[in-house]
Amino acid sequence: MAGSKQLEQTSKSIDSSAHMITTARVPADKPVRIAFSLSDSPDDASPENFSLAFPELDQQLQPLPPCHDSKESMQVYKQHCKIAEEYNEVKKEIALLEERKKELIARLEQVEKESMDAAQLAKEYAELTEENRTLKLAQTQCVEQLEKLRIQYQKRQGSS
């Protein structure tokens, strides 16, 4: 019992002099996570009402726990927490926009490929159309020449 009273007394003296949160009842190897609301809280809010971590933030961006006796410290802490939440929202939005960007780039590449395919097909169609016109002209000339040769052949047959 004497050790427990001494621990409690030490804990109280630390709390009153340095405004620290005691973790005497929590093993040191266990992470502590305490939630609180960012809405205005009464001035007599206990230290247990403050979040000690935003696990998704880098260590250097973590809000530091406030001095619960200082209204200014509480306001700065709340502001830092709001900024941290906004930062997370912006990071999420950036991730969504990056994903959307990838989708749009893939779609653009597909459209460009289809456009190139269409352009290639149009070019090929124009070439084939020109070749077809040339072949029809050649066929017409051959038919005309064949007719002339038949007429000449018939004239020779008729004169002989």
Side-chain angles (χ1 to χ4, degrees):
M1 276 310 242
S4 174
K5 256 188 180 180
Q6 185 181 10
L7 180 61
E8 189 176 308
Q9 202 172 25
T10 305
S11 179
K12 284 182 182 175
S13 70
I14 289 173
D15 279 346
S16 63
S17 66
H19 306 293
M20 294 180 66
I21 297 174
T22 179
T23 57
R25 294 185 194 113
V26 179
D29 63 332
K30 301 285 185 196
V32 176
R33 181 160 181 163
I34 303 169
F36 82 104
S37 169
L38 288 177
S39 62
D40 290 340
S41 60
D43 290 341
D44 62 343
S46 66
E48 289 80 27
N49 290 338
F50 298 102
S51 175
L52 296 178
F54 284 77
E56 59 280 350
L57 287 180
D58 294 337
Q59 181 63 34
Q60 68 270 20
L61 299 177
Q62 294 286 330
L64 298 174
C67 173
H68 68 277
D69 291 340
S70 169
K71 189 173 186 175
E72 183 182 5
S73 177
M74 299 284 284
Q75 288 173 339
V76 168
Y77 180 73
K78 287 180 185 180
Q79 183 181 17
H80 193 169
C81 288
K82 286 180 184 178
I83 291 170
E85 286 182 352
E86 288 174 8
Y87 176 79
N88 281 333
E89 290 300 315
V90 168
K91 279 180 65 175
K92 288 177 189 175
E93 189 174 342
I94 288 171
L96 290 173
L97 290 172
E98 289 287 340
E99 187 60 34
R100 178 74 174 137
K101 177 184 168 185
K102 287 178 187 175
E103 291 171 4
L104 290 174
I105 288 172
R107 186 172 166 199
L108 178 63
E109 288 172 352
Q110 180 63 31
V111 167
E112 286 176 346
K113 182 181 180 294
E114 290 171 0
S115 177
M116 286 176 59
D117 290 346
Q120 181 64 29
L121 288 173
K123 180 182 175 188
E124 192 176 327
Y125 175 79
E127 289 171 357
L128 289 173
T129 302
E130 179 60 26
E131 185 180 353
N132 190 25
R133 188 190 66 76
T134 304
L135 289 172
K136 283 182 178 179
L137 181 61
Q139 180 198 19
T140 304
Q141 290 173 347
C142 286
V143 167
E144 289 174 2
Q145 188 177 8
L146 180 62
E147 242 349 272
K148 287 179 185 177
L149 288 174
R150 278 188 185 150
I151 292 172
Q152 283 179 1
Y153 180 72
Q154 287 175 354
K155 284 183 182 176
R156 285 188 190 159
Q157 287 291 329
S159 60
S160 21

